[in-house]
Amino acid sequence: MPSRPNLFSAAFAKIDGGWRGTEVDLSDVEIADDLTDSVQEALGLNGDELALLCVEIEDEWFAIVRYDGDADPRLFLSDAHAALADSLGEIFADLAGVAVDKETPDLGVRPAGDFELLADFSLSADELLELSMEEGALPADVLAVIAERLSFADEFDRLR
């Protein structure tokens, strides 16, 4: 997959007293398992930690993938239809269990995946959807609000 100038991808691991973040290279990602490998490698995880991968592409859509130890990854995708215009987005859509016909006209923002992804961090499904679908809100802005709510805004801003 070619590198793209408008791709932001960073992972954040929950550690004692806060979060640790690092950029994640997704240029070699071809399948969902590659995402997990990239996050674990970038953060140096042993598989027991809680980690979040935040990805934003071209002010069009964002994804958050949650890794909890050995559990299957959980994902929230801000706009499944927009994501399908991109090979990386197709991987996220697949991970979210989305099957959207690329030929279907854009029907507007279509969030997908696990809306309760961050509920244990006091960010309800309703709030996550509201943030994602707010008129005029850019994906980078939504991710910044989420980072603030989850207390990793300093790490997010440092990497952004």
Side-chain angles (χ1 to χ4, degrees):
M1 180 176 315
S3 144
R4 46 183 113 223
N6 296 321
L7 166 71
F8 169 77
S9 62
F12 303 88
K14 185 84 168 121
I15 56 172
D16 292 335
W19 294 83
R20 175 174 49 93
T22 188
E23 290 184 53
V24 178
D25 180 6
L26 301 180
S27 61
D28 293 331
V29 170
E30 294 179 6
I31 60 173
D33 286 346
D34 294 341
L35 288 172
T36 302
D37 294 345
S38 296
V39 169
Q40 288 180 336
E41 182 179 313
L43 287 170
L45 301 179
N46 62 21
D48 294 336
E49 301 89 352
L50 166 69
L52 298 175
L53 172 64
C54 298
V55 177
E56 181 247 323
I57 293 201
E58 301 178 14
D59 289 333
E60 292 294 322
W61 58 269
F62 73 88
I64 301 173
V65 184
R66 179 176 177 152
Y67 300 94
D68 271 315
D70 292 332
D72 286 340
R74 297 165 55 200
L75 173 127
F76 175 80
L77 183 58
S78 68
D79 188 344
H81 197 274
L84 286 174
D86 177 278
S87 58
L88 183 61
E90 289 178 10
I91 294 169
F92 285 108
D94 183 53
L95 190 58
V98 173
V100 178
D101 182 356
K102 291 181 195 179
E103 304 305 316
T104 302
D106 187 356
L107 303 173
V109 176
R110 297 175 57 184
D114 185 347
F115 301 156
E116 296 288 335
L117 181 75
L118 304 171
D120 58 334
F121 288 103
S122 299
L123 188 64
S124 72
D126 289 341
E127 290 174 298
L128 185 56
L129 287 168
E130 184 179 318
L131 283 171
S132 301
M133 298 179 73
E134 186 174 325
E135 186 74 31
L138 295 174
D141 298 335
V142 175
L143 285 176
V145 169
I146 292 169
E148 181 71 34
R149 291 282 302 271
L150 274 63
S151 301
F152 63 86
D154 289 343
E155 283 289 287
F156 181 83
D157 290 342
R158 179 181 65 82
L159 296 169
R160 191 74 190 156

